[in-house]
């Protein structure tokens, strides 16, 4: 049957974009009543689904900007559309407000749902763009027109219980990446040029996918969690291989910074790793990014020095005996010696978390399942310097002990300074 129409003519805002794809995670913490957290498209805000409704928080400066409490029912998925009043909601928790097989479009100005999409299976994830809605089920991904809610495309996948999907928010380059029907393969849909790219990214199941803001690069990790691989979305070529570590790990999130010069990932090892990216991705014209975006050298010597300083890029360390790789055939050199390691880290994270790059240069923001928000600086490399620490969700026990506001909710108090804890 035909999908229902919108009950509002309000359209999403237009304007420049600042960051890459949205990151989200589900949470199972009955003490906090927290069910999910997700960044919006420009990483300026994050939304929390709770057993009582949802809340929106600003990242810089950190503060709670809005909270919607329902009389009954929890919200398992909250997806923002930049900073406008439209959100996608999916019920969750012990008493879901909406069925788990429905994606509801909520207009907070009208304080009601203005549209819904119903399916036979549970909704695993929802993503919003200015003119598109993407809904992820276990074995299929649906793409809808934003205004009419009419079906535009459907993509079969392997079983996708995590709801893996990544979108480029650039309105001039609509790119979608998702698991393919072959294990470890990524399917990239370049809708503006009507091209599909299949990338054999890993030998094992995919655990995480992210796309750069311009849609030219896609990064992925497998269920092993030792490597992050970066590919060109047009050609499918491997551009860079980044090593998180040697031990298996569950990767929670991957994020590109706005200029695609850095990449970060979070995992169950309690560490966020930050890598420097090379500038070698090919553009649709066939030129490399460095050729296409090379700035004109300023004539003023002082301005030239400032530009050189701004363009200085940290280098990812390699194995101390990586020189072996230059002396032996590539086919017999262990992968360990060829990989690049992170140049900066945030350590001592005590729960599941997602990460994104902050609005200030060389900053990383982290949202954790234990209700903590952290902002750190990676400008100096190595152990990151903590700039902000805050609790956005508190348990009833914390509130009763007098550490909160008296009811389960958030605390906007933040502390700054000091180095992140080691671990």
């Amino acid at each position: 049957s035909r999908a229902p129409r919108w009950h509002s003519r309000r359209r999403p805002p237009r304007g420049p974009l600042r960051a890459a794809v949205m990151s989200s995670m589900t949470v199972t913490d009955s003490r906090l009543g927290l069910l999910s957290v997700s960044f919006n498209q420009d990483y300026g805000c994050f939304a929390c689904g709770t057993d009582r409704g949802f809340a929106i928080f600003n990242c810089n400066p950190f503060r709670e900007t809005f909270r919607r409490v329902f009389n009954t029912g929890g919200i398992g998925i909250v997806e923002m559309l930049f900073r406008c009043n439209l959100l996608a909601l999916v019920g969750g928790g012990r008493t879901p407000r909406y069925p788990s097989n429905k994606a509801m479009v909520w207009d907070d100005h009208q304080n009601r749902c203005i549209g819904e999409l119903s399916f036979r299976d549970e909704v695993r994830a929802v993503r919003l763009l200015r003119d598109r809605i993407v809904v992820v089920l276990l074995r299929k991904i649906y793409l809808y027109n934003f205004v009419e809610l009419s079906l535009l495309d459907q993509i079969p996948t392997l079983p996708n219980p995590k709801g893996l999907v990544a979108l480029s928010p650039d309105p001039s380059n609509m790119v979608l990446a998702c698991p393919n029907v072959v294990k470890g393969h990524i399917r990239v849909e370049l809708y503006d040029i009507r091209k599909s790219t299949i990338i054999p990214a890993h030998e094992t199941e995919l655990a995480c996918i992210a796309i750069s803001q311009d849609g030219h690069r896609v990064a992925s990790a497998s269920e092993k969690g030792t490597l992050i691989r970066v590919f060109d979305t047009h050609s499918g070529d491997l551009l860079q291989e980044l090593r998180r570590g040697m031990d298996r790990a569950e990767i929670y999130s991957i994020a590109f910074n706005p200029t695609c010069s850095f990449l970060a990932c979070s995992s169950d090892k309690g560490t966020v790793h930050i890598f420097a990216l090379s500038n070698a991705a090919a553009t649709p014209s066939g030129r490399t990014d460095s050729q296409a975006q090379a700035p004109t050298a300023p004539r003023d010597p002082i301005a030239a020095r400032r530009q050189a300083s701004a363009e200085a890029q940290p280098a990812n360390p390699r194995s101390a005996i990586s020189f072996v790789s230059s002396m032996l055939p590539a086919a017999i050199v262990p992968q360990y010696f060829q990989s690049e390691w992170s140049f900066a880290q945030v350590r001592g994270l005590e729960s599941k978390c997602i990460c994104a790059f902050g609005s200030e240069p060389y900053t990383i923001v982290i949202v954790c399942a234990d209700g903590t928000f952290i902002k750190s600086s990676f400008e100096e490399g190595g152990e990151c310097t903590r700039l902000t620490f805050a609790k956005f969700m508190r348990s009833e026990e914390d509130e009763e002990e007098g550490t909160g506001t008296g009811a389960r909710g958030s605390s906007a108090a933040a502390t700054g300074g000091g180095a992140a804890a080691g671990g």
Side-chain angles (χ1 to χ4, degrees):
S1 61
R2 185 180 179 184
R5 292 176 177 268
W6 288 87
H7 298 287
S8 171
R9 295 183 180 180
R10 185 176 293 105
R11 294 174 181 266
R14 296 189 177 276
L17 300 172
R18 186 183 61 80
V21 301
M22 193 183 327
S23 296
S24 61
M25 67 176 177
T26 56
V27 181
T28 53
D29 192 328
S30 58
R31 298 178 304 105
L32 297 178
L34 184 63
L35 302 178
S36 69
V37 294
S38 61
F39 287 108
N40 72 338
Q41 290 83 352
D42 67 5
Y43 290 152
C45 301
F46 66 93
C48 300
T50 74
D51 58 3
R52 299 179 180 180
F54 62 89
I56 309 296
F57 297 85
N58 194 67
C59 291
N60 188 32
F62 173 78
R63 67 176 185 275
E64 179 178 328
T65 60
F66 181 79
R67 180 176 293 267
R68 176 67 66 186
V69 178
F70 297 124
N71 292 329
T72 58
I75 301 298
I77 296 175
V78 185
E79 293 296 335
M80 300 177 66
L81 181 59
F82 296 92
R83 293 173 181 263
C84 78
N85 54 292
L86 300 178
L87 304 97
L89 306 178
V90 179
R94 294 182 179 178
T95 56
R97 181 169 178 83
Y98 307 109
S100 62
N101 67 327
K102 290 187 176 182
M104 313 298 294
V105 181
W106 177 269
D107 185 337
D108 210 71
H109 284 177
Q110 300 185 41
N111 193 24
R112 67 185 181 93
C113 288
I114 59 173
E116 68 177 59
L117 293 166
S118 299
F119 306 90
R120 294 181 179 179
D121 299 322
E122 177 184 349
V123 174
R124 306 287 174 157
V126 183
R127 297 290 184 265
L128 301 181
L129 291 178
R130 292 186 173 94
D131 56 353
R132 298 288 187 269
I133 297 180
V134 175
V135 180
V136 183
L137 306 185
L138 181 64
R139 294 178 179 271
K140 190 165 286 189
I141 294 176
Y142 292 92
L143 177 68
Y144 293 90
N145 174 278
F146 192 89
V147 177
E148 301 291 336
L149 290 185
S150 56
L151 183 63
L152 301 177
D153 195 9
Q154 48 186 313
I155 304 171
T157 69
L158 279 178
N160 185 15
K162 292 185 176 181
L164 299 181
V165 70
L167 296 173
S168 166
D170 189 340
S172 64
N173 189 26
M174 170 66 179
V175 182
L176 179 149
C178 64
N180 191 31
V181 293
V182 179
K183 181 175 65 176
H185 286 46
I186 301 172
R187 176 170 175 170
V188 179
E189 292 291 336
L190 300 103
Y191 284 103
D192 291 342
I193 61 174
R194 299 183 180 181
K195 178 184 177 182
S196 297
T197 305
I198 305 300
I199 302 174
H202 305 273
E203 296 180 356
T204 57
E205 299 283 356
L206 296 170
C208 197
I209 304 174
I211 286 183
S212 62
Q213 182 230 317
D214 59 12
H216 291 162
R217 302 188 193 189
V218 59
S220 64
S222 74
E223 62 183 4
K224 291 178 63 177
T226 56
L227 296 172
I228 310 292
R229 292 189 172 123
V230 182
F231 301 90
D232 182 274
T233 55
H234 291 260
S235 66
D237 293 341
L238 176 64
L239 301 176
Q240 209 164 351
E241 186 172 88
L242 310 169
R243 181 166 290 278
R244 181 212 55 80
M246 291 298 296
D247 298 331
R248 292 181 69 100
E250 181 181 358
I251 302 296
Y252 295 141
S253 68
I254 300 174
F256 289 91
N257 77 323
T259 60
C260 210
S261 54
F262 298 110
L263 179 145
C265 73
S266 61
S267 73
D268 63 355
K269 295 298 184 180
T271 302
V272 168
H273 291 271
I274 304 166
F275 304 87
L277 295 180
S278 63
N279 201 17
T283 64
S285 65
R287 298 180 298 168
T288 63
D289 284 348
S290 57
Q291 293 170 330
Q293 301 175 7
T296 302
R299 297 179 180 179
D300 181 5
I302 296 178
R305 287 196 296 270
R306 289 176 178 173
Q307 177 175 297
S309 176
E311 294 170 358
Q313 180 78 348
N316 296 322
R318 295 177 182 266
S319 168
I321 55 175
S322 60
F323 65 89
V324 172
S325 63
S326 63
M327 303 167 60
L328 298 173
I332 65 172
V333 175
Q335 196 176 46
Y336 175 90
F337 297 128
Q338 303 180 48
S339 300
E340 302 176 42
W341 297 71
S342 61
F343 76 91
Q345 307 82 31
V346 178
R347 303 184 187 277
L349 305 172
E350 299 180 354
S351 67
K352 189 176 182 179
C353 64
I354 55 176
C355 62
F357 288 91
S359 59
E360 299 169 298
Y362 300 104
T363 58
I364 189 85
V365 295
I366 304 166
V367 180
C368 301
D370 61 2
T372 59
F373 171 88
I374 297 169
K375 181 171 72 172
S376 297
S377 169
F378 60 90
E379 186 171 9
E380 301 300 324
E383 187 79 12
C384 294
T385 301
R386 181 169 293 177
L387 304 177
T388 301
F389 178 88
K391 290 288 289 186
F392 63 89
M393 294 290 290
R394 294 183 180 275
S395 66
E396 292 178 345
E397 291 80 1
D398 290 338
E399 303 296 350
E400 290 173 357
E401 292 174 0
T403 59
T405 57
R408 181 163 56 181
S410 68
S411 170
T415 60

